[in-house]
Amino acid sequence: MRIKKAGSYQGLMLIIFFLGIFTSVFAQQPTGDTRAVFLVKDLQELVLMNHPIVKQAGLLSKEAQARVLQSLGKFDPALMASFGKKSFGGTDYYNHWDSELKVPLWLGGADLNLGYDRNVGVYNNPETRTSSTGLSGVGLTIPLGQGLLIDARRNTLRQAKIMVGYADAEKVAQINSVWFNAMKDYWNWYFAFEQRKFTKEGVDLAQKRFRAIREQVILGDKPPIDSVEAAIVLQDREIQLQETTVQLTNSRLLLSNYLWSSEGKPQELPADALPEEVVETENTVEKLRLDTFILQAADTHPEILKIKSQSAKLEIEQKYRLEMLKPKLNVKGSFLAGRRDFSDIPNNYDFRLANYKVGIDFSFPLFLREERGKLREVRIQQAEVAYGLQQTTREIQTGVMTAFAEMKAVQTQVTLLTKNVENQRILVNGELQKFALGESNLFLINTRETKLMDMLVKRAELISNFQKTIADLYYRAGKRRQY
C-alpha cells in the first residue's frame, strides 16, 4: 500500500510535469535563439547587387545605348580624299586630287559639303580641269522631297532612342522575375524551418513522455500498453523529423542559388541560419490598396512599357514610310573659289555669287508598290501591337485582382487558424487535466496533441503562402516590394 500511494503521488506529479512540458514546448513567445537571422532585406540586397541574371539584365540598357551610339555615327562628319597621277614619255597626262568634308545636318536632312579639287594635266577632262592652285567649294545638299521631314538616319536614331526605354523595361522585367522566384524560395525555406521546428518539439515532448510513462509502468502505476503507445508516437514523430529535416536542407540549398559574392562566387546559406520572424497583423491587407496597384500597373508595368515602346517605334517607322512615298528631289549647290589658303586672290576667283555649281536630282517610281507594301506592313504591325496592348493590359489587371483576392483569402485563413490553435491548446490542457483525474487516457492526449502540431504546421504554411501572395501581387503589378 505504501508503494501504491507513492506511485499515485508520482502519477499526479507526472501529470503536472506533462503540463509544464507542453506549455514550454509549444509556447508562442520567442525562444531567444542567438543564431544569425537571415532577413528578407538581406536577401534583397544580395540578389540586386550580385546575382548574375541581375547583372546580365543591367547590360540590356548598355546594349541599347550602344545602338544609339551606332545611330549617331550616321551624323559623323566624313572626310574623303582621292589622288591619281599619270606621267609617260615626259608628259604629265593628269594629276588628280579630290577631297571633301561632308557634315550631315539634322535640320532638313541636309549635308554640308566642304571640298577642294585639283585636276591638272594635258589630258584632263575640260569639265573638271582646274588651275594649278585648285578649286575650293562650300555647299549644301538639301532634299526638298523625300527625306525632308525624316530620312533613314533620323529614323534609325529615333528608333534606337525609343528602344532604350524598351531595354530598361526588359531589365526591370528580368530583375522582377528573379526577385519573385527568390521570394518564393525564401518563404518555402521559412515554412520548412517552422515545420521542422514544430516536429522537433513534438519529438522532444514524446521522448519525455515516453520516459515518464516507462517509469510509471515500472512502478506499476500504469499498464504496459501505455508505454507501447508512447513508443509508437515517438517513433512516428522521429520519422516525420527525418522527412522535415530533408525538406529543410533542400529548401536551404534552393535558396542558396540566389546567393553570390561581389566577386561572382556562389555562396551557401549557413545551416544554422534563421528566417525572419513573421508578425502577421490583421490590417496588412488594408494597407495595400487594389486600385493603387491597378493604376501603377497600367503606367509602369514592364510588359506594358515594352509594348508602348514598340508602338512608339512603329509610329516613327510609319512616318518614315510615308516620307518614302514622296519623289526624290535633291538640290545641290556650292560656292566656288580658286583658293587653297587665306592669301589674297583676284575677286573674280574668290567666293561670290557668280562663282557657283548647282544641280538637281529627281526620281520617282510610278507605282510605288514597294513603299506602299512596306507602309501597309507597318500599319498591320501597329494593329497587332494595339491588340496586344489591350489584351496584356486586361491580363495584368485581372492578375492583380486575383492576386489581391487570394491574399485577402489567405489572410483570413491565417486569422481563423490562429484562433483555432488557441482553442486547440485549451483542449489539450483540458485533456491533460482530465487525465490527471483519471477521466481520460493517453490515446486522447496524443490525438489532441498531434492535432495541435498539425495546426501549428498548417498555420506556418499559411503564413508562408500569405507572404508569397504578397510577393505575387507586387510581381503581377510589375513592382518590387522594398524592405
Side-chain angles (χ1 to χ4, degrees):
M1 290 296 294
R2 188 176 302 170
I3 294 177
K4 195 163 187 176
K5 285 183 180 180
S8 299
Y9 175 76
Q10 287 180 347
L12 180 60
M13 294 302 296
L14 183 62
I15 301 305
I16 298 175
F17 178 65
F18 282 168
L19 285 170
I21 293 175
F22 175 81
T23 304
S24 62
V25 170
F26 292 104
Q28 290 181 302
Q29 287 77 15
T31 59
D33 203 322
T34 58
R35 291 180 292 175
V37 178
F38 186 57
L39 302 173
V40 178
K41 181 180 180 180
D42 300 329
L43 176 64
Q44 186 177 56
E45 181 178 353
L46 288 174
V47 169
L48 297 183
M49 290 182 59
N50 302 330
H51 197 281
I53 301 299
V54 174
K55 292 182 177 180
Q56 185 184 51
L59 298 177
L60 294 173
S61 297
K62 296 181 179 179
E63 185 178 2
Q65 292 288 351
R67 293 196 182 98
V68 173
L69 184 60
Q70 295 177 34
S71 303
L72 286 171
K74 301 293 184 180
F75 293 88
D76 287 347
L79 181 62
M80 298 165 283
S82 65
F83 172 76
K85 180 179 180 180
K86 180 179 178 181
S87 180
F88 182 73
T91 301
D92 286 336
Y93 278 65
Y94 60 82
N95 189 325
H96 293 172
W97 172 262
D98 299 323
S99 59
E100 180 185 25
L101 176 62
K102 183 179 180 180
V103 182
L105 304 178
W106 178 271
L107 184 62
D111 293 327
L112 173 64
N113 302 292
L114 306 175
Y116 173 76
D117 301 332
R118 184 177 180 275
N119 298 321
V120 297
V122 177
Y123 297 103
N124 247 315
N125 187 343
E127 181 182 350
T128 59
R129 183 181 299 160
T130 67
S131 65
S132 61
T133 58
L135 192 65
S136 300
V138 178
L140 287 173
T141 300
I142 303 175
L144 298 181
Q146 185 183 111
L148 178 63
L149 300 179
I150 185 173
D151 55 6
R153 60 196 181 194
R154 284 180 285 175
N155 175 49
T156 303
L157 178 58
R158 288 174 177 175
Q159 291 191 25
K161 289 182 177 180
I162 289 174
M163 294 310 291
V164 172
Y166 182 95
D168 290 338
E170 178 63 24
K171 179 183 71 174
V172 172
Q174 291 188 16
I175 294 176
N176 286 352
S177 178
V178 172
W179 176 239
F180 175 59
N181 291 327
M183 286 293 292
K184 290 193 296 184
D185 286 339
Y186 181 92
W187 293 113
N188 287 335
W189 171 58
Y190 165 84
F191 168 64
F193 179 87
E194 292 292 309
Q195 184 181 32
R196 190 204 179 270
K197 182 182 72 174
F198 290 128
T199 305
K200 180 64 170 61
E201 291 173 351
V203 169
D204 294 340
L205 182 60
Q207 286 177 341
K208 294 178 181 179
R209 177 171 292 144
F210 172 71
R211 296 191 189 102
I213 293 294
R214 185 176 57 183
E215 292 182 3
Q216 280 193 302
V217 171
I218 294 174
L219 294 174
D221 204 38
K222 291 291 181 183
I225 192 66
D226 283 355
S227 64
V228 174
E229 182 175 350
I232 292 174
V233 171
L234 174 60
Q235 292 169 359
D236 183 59
R237 292 182 181 178
E238 287 177 341
I239 293 174
Q240 295 179 13
L241 179 62
Q242 293 296 324
E243 294 175 351
T244 56
T245 301
V246 172
Q247 294 175 9
L248 177 59
T249 301
N250 292 340
S251 64
R252 186 175 64 250
L253 291 175
L254 289 176
L255 183 58
S256 298
N257 287 335
Y258 302 93
L259 305 182
W260 296 81
S261 68
S262 57
E263 294 81 15
K265 297 180 180 180
Q267 304 293 309
E268 187 172 338
L269 185 66
D272 59 347
L274 301 174
E276 71 175 47
E277 182 181 357
V278 179
V279 182
E280 73 281 358
T281 57
E282 295 186 0
N283 60 349
T284 300
V285 177
E286 284 70 15
K287 293 180 180 179
L288 305 176
R289 298 184 59 85
L290 176 60
D291 54 350
T292 302
F293 277 93
I294 292 177
L295 291 176
Q296 290 179 345
D299 293 335
T300 62
H301 197 286
E303 295 301 324
I304 292 180
L305 293 179
K306 289 193 315 185
I307 296 177
K308 289 182 177 180
S309 296
Q310 290 177 329
S311 178
K313 178 184 176 182
L314 289 173
E315 185 177 351
I316 299 297
E317 183 69 15
Q318 182 191 27
K319 292 180 180 178
Y320 175 64
R321 292 305 168 186
L322 285 171
E323 187 74 7
M324 292 299 100
L325 296 178
K326 298 178 181 179
K328 292 182 180 179
L329 180 61
N330 297 331
V331 177
K332 299 179 289 184
S334 299
F335 289 107
L336 305 176
R339 64 162 59 241
R340 54 184 175 183
D341 53 30
F342 294 98
S343 61
D344 292 334
I345 61 173
N347 290 333
N348 290 339
Y349 294 95
D350 204 353
F351 288 111
R352 53 185 299 188
L353 293 178
N355 297 331
Y356 64 88
K357 180 175 64 173
V358 296
I360 297 176
D361 295 330
F362 175 82
S363 66
F364 184 68
L366 296 180
F367 298 111
L368 291 172
R369 282 182 287 197
E370 180 181 0
E371 298 305 330
R372 286 192 291 117
K374 291 180 179 179
L375 177 60
R376 184 178 300 176
E377 181 182 4
V378 170
R379 286 176 172 171
I380 291 173
Q381 292 174 351
Q382 285 180 310
E384 291 175 347
V385 170
Y387 292 140
L389 179 61
Q390 290 179 357
Q391 181 63 25
T392 302
T393 303
R394 180 66 181 274
E395 290 176 356
I396 290 174
Q397 182 182 22
T398 303
V400 170
M401 295 173 65
T402 55
F404 192 86
E406 184 177 359
M407 182 187 64
K408 291 183 63 176
V410 177
Q411 170 70 12
T412 302
Q413 293 174 16
V414 171
T415 302
L416 292 176
L417 190 56
T418 301
K419 295 178 181 179
N420 287 343
V421 167
E422 296 303 320
N423 293 333
Q424 186 66 25
R425 291 180 191 276
I426 295 174
L427 289 178
V428 173
N429 288 331
E431 202 66 44
L432 287 171
Q433 293 174 359
K434 290 171 61 178
F435 183 74
L437 299 175
E439 298 177 359
S440 183
N441 54 57
L442 189 60
F443 173 77
L444 290 176
I445 292 177
N446 288 332
T447 301
R448 301 282 192 192
E449 188 179 270
T450 301
K451 179 66 174 178
L452 177 60
M453 290 174 56
D454 292 341
M455 293 174 67
L456 288 171
V457 172
K458 180 63 177 178
R459 179 173 171 272
E461 183 181 13
L462 285 177
I463 292 175
S464 172
N465 291 339
F466 177 67
Q467 296 296 330
K468 286 190 286 188
T469 56
I470 295 178
D472 185 48
L473 174 63
Y474 277 87
Y475 177 70
R476 289 177 181 270
K479 299 172 57 181
R480 290 193 307 272
R481 187 182 181 185
Q482 298 298 322
Y483 290 88

